[in-house]
């Protein structure tokens, strides 16, 4: 067995990954504080009070805006880096991505037994998901502005179908992020320490059979 060490993730990718994870977690948490500060939306029970998550509008908005600035700044830096460096070619789905994503799904469901072809960086499923996450982030930010300033940004609110539609879209995007985190963590732990190490150090270990 031959072991090689090769570059996997560049610094900007790792930086964006490790910054976005806690920032998004705090934004989702503070979003719940904002949501549950309105009595009509409160879930009955004392557990919200015990967790300190009921009637915390000012606290929730403060955390949401501060970390929202970090989220937007980090996102702009990453998109700029992708466009400038050409890294976007590794992220944007190509004509083979959807077919490849289907094969990845079959493999993960144990329906396909044969090994998958190892991609240079991201497989088709990863391209589709990671590109979708970037679009989701943009929609989350714009819908957030639409419900924060529905009068001043009436045109933006109108594009989302009105205030209530924009609010629902913003909340659904938040739930989609939570689902993404769950699936992403499951996939990472299934991949093992090598995938985690690659996102920390930027390098991954490749094992291959010695050629005769």
């Amino acid at each position: 067995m031959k072991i090689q060490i090769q570059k996997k993730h560049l610094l900007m990718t790792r930086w964006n990954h490790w910054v976005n994870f806690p920032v998004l977690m705090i934004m989702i948490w503070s979003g719940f504080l904002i949501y549950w500060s309105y009595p009509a939306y409160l879930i009955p029970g004392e557990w919200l009070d015990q967790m300190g998550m009921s009637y915390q509008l000012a606290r929730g908005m403060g955390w949401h805006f501060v970390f929202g600035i970090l989220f937007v700044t980090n996102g702009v830096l990453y998109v700029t880096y992708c466009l400038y460096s050409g890294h976007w070619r590794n992220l944007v789905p190509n004509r083979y991505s959807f077919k490849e994503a289907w094969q990845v799904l079959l493999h993960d469901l144990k329906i396909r037994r044969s090994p998958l072809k190892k991609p240079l960086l991201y497989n088709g499923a990863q391209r589709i998901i990671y590109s979708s996450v970037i679009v989701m982030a943009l929609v989350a930010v714009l819908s957030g502005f639409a419900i924060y300033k529905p009068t001043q940004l009436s045109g933006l609110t109108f594009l989302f179908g009105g205030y209530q539609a924009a609010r629902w879209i913003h909340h659904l995007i938040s739930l989609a992020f939570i689902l993404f985190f769950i699936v992403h963590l499951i996939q990472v732990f299934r991949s093992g320490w090598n995938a985690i190490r690659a996102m920390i150090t930027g390098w991954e270990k490749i094992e291959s059979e010695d050629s005769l």
Side-chain angles (χ1 to χ4, degrees), residues 139-174:
V139 174
V141 171
L142 293 179
S143 60
F145 279 119
I147 61 179
Y148 176 54
K149 295 290 186 180
T151 301
Q152 295 87 338
L153 300 175
S154 57
L156 180 61
T157 306
F158 174 79
L159 290 177
F160 279 101
Y163 177 82
Q164 291 298 334
R167 188 173 64 84
W168 273 108
I169 291 172
H170 194 71
H171 294 159
L172 290 174
I173 290 291
S174 299

Side-chain angles (χ1 to χ4, degrees), residues 16 19-20 23-24 27 64-80 137-142 144-145 170:
N16 181 266
V19 169
N20 266 348
V23 166
L24 269 173
M27 288 196 67
H64 210 64
F65 292 150
V66 169
F67 281 86
I69 294 173
L70 293 176
F71 179 69
V72 171
T73 301
N74 199 44
V76 169
L77 288 175
Y78 183 68
V79 171
T80 302
L138 177 61
V139 174
V141 171
L142 293 179
F145 279 119
H170 194 71

